Amino acid sequence: MLEWANPPCALLKLIYWRLVVAIQITSEQSSFLRDHHQAVLATSKSNGSPQVSTIYYEFDGETIVISAKEYTAKWKNITRNPDCALVINDGHAQLLLYGTAEGVIEDPERLEEHRRISRILKQPEVSDQELSDRLTAQERTIIRIRPVKIFDNK
């Protein structure tokens, strides 16, 4: 087994986390993530300072998906540095999730992931072509986050 605690570059770090670090999300944490759909996403600006955005998300038990426009800071930050964090609040209860993000820009995967978000926002179903045209016109992409650490205070 790999025993590489601190890989030297972002790509190797991503591979390391996916192969070696298996996060265990409790059923309570999974329920909390599924029952909520709004969070604060934190990414890193090019100068290393934080950038935060309130976002809607969908969690399928393994990954979190967020819809983002290509020209937004969150998209640009994620493409440069995939490390990110989410905070999901519900009164005094909160969940903090650290993750590794990847961008999804190609159909049909972009369509499938966007439909996950559309369902939680109760948007009407449309054809693949209509959805693809709309997402392209709006310059919409998907940010998919794989959790690597998770904490809660419940």
Side-chain angles (χ1 to χ4, degrees), residues 134-150:
R134 186 170 64 213
L135 296 178
T136 300
Q138 295 175 357
E139 300 180 63
R140 286 216 170 263
T141 62
I142 291 292
I143 296 171
R144 183 171 41 219
I145 300 170
R146 297 188 187 283
V148 294
K149 292 181 186 175
I150 191 165

Side-chain angles (χ1 to χ4, degrees), residues 79-105:
T79 59
R80 187 179 48 259
N81 178 356
D83 297 330
C84 61
L86 283 173
V87 176
I88 301 96
N89 286 309
D90 186 355
H92 291 290
Q94 76 174 18
L95 189 136
L96 172 60
L97 181 146
Y98 293 98
T100 303
E102 64 183 327
V104 178
I105 58 174

Side-chain angles (χ1 to χ4, degrees), residues 35-52:
D35 292 345
H36 296 81
H37 299 289
Q38 195 170 22
V40 176
L41 171 69
T43 60
S44 296
K45 295 180 182 179
S46 59
N47 67 4
S49 64
Q51 188 272 329
V52 295

Side-chain angles (χ1 to χ4, degrees), residues 17 21-25 29 62 97-98 146-150:
W17 281 112
V21 180
I23 183 170
Q24 295 297 317
I25 299 176
Q29 291 168 336
E62 291 183 23
L97 181 146
Y98 293 98
R146 297 188 187 283
V148 294
K149 292 181 186 175
I150 191 165

